[in-house]
Amino acid sequence: MWDTFKTRWQQGHRTQAFPPAQPLPERFRGRPTIDAGRCAAGCTACRDACPTEAITLAPLTFDLGRCTFCPACAEACPSGAIAWTPDYRLATRTREGLLLRDAALPLATALDRKMRALFGRSLKLRQVSAGGCNGCELELQALNNVVFDLSRFGIQFVASPRHADGLVITGPVTANMRLALQKTYEAVPDPKLVIAVGACAISGGPFLNSPACHNGATSTVPVDLFIPGCPPHPLTILDGLLRLLGRLESGRERNTA
């Protein structure tokens, strides 16, 4: 027992400040950048290499809602027109906002004043895995550990939809989970929020147009926040939640540890 206390004491304060004080590692793949001016005429290498058909041409467009953030497109590009940055800020309020054509990405805006008054300081969420692979679910679980400590922002996951203010949906919404998702949504009291986390929940991801899936949460319920990734980093999820609640616009969460 003494050794346990001694080890914990030596570890010190482990909760990460938000926004993070240190940049993410170079190998982290966040928001991509596109320099269409480098593209050779008739080149389709990036589109052909993309496993989820997230890239369209004329104009060159990235659908971050489908992207799995694999490096295949950048590796296939002969002119270096595509690069990855360590920018973890990716969440948007609309599906169209995830269509990236240049460096600009319309980050999520805050809820209106009435909704912020209800949820701004205390938000309870029920997570629904609608056929997920557990990748996004594990990143959501990581938000509860001592490093990210989601509860310091007044956001917590609850067991019952009747105790929740909103849903966090992962997975492509399989045929077997669609009814469960509908019933869970109906069980959440109004007004309520819906947050789609991961490429599968946004568009179906690798399972797009599969007869066993419904291409994401928007096929079944209205969505208020889209957080792309495969899976998204906990910082990406945290950034999206705090932007939705208006906690970043005010700057009150600067360097919160």
Side-chain angles (χ1 to χ4, degrees), residues 18-19 30-32 64 69 85-100 102-111 224-228 235-246 248-249 254:
F18 188 86
R31 179 176 54 82
L64 296 182
F69 292 75
T85 74
D87 190 351
Y88 60 86
R89 301 169 301 170
L90 298 168
T92 66
R93 292 291 305 276
T94 65
R95 179 70 180 87
E96 293 73 20
L98 294 174
L99 300 178
L100 183 68
D102 49 37
L105 184 69
L107 297 177
T109 56
L111 297 166
D224 299 287
L225 180 67
F226 298 86
I227 303 178
L235 289 176
T236 302
I237 303 172
L238 186 54
D239 178 80
L241 291 173
L242 294 181
R243 289 185 185 281
L244 183 68
L245 298 177
L248 288 182
E249 290 181 344
R254 284 285 177 191

Side-chain angles (χ1 to χ4, degrees), residues 87-138:
D87 190 351
Y88 60 86
R89 301 169 301 170
L90 298 168
T92 66
R93 292 291 305 276
T94 65
R95 179 70 180 87
E96 293 73 20
L98 294 174
L99 300 178
L100 183 68
R101 296 187 177 89
D102 49 37
L105 184 69
L107 297 177
T109 56
L111 297 166
D112 60 34
R113 178 176 298 181
K114 181 179 178 180
M115 294 290 277
R116 291 203 306 273
L118 289 171
F119 303 136
R121 300 182 67 84
S122 176
L123 179 66
K124 310 298 182 185
L125 298 171
R126 175 69 166 90
Q127 198 267 323
V128 178
S129 179
C133 68
N134 286 341
C136 295
E137 290 83 348
L138 287 173

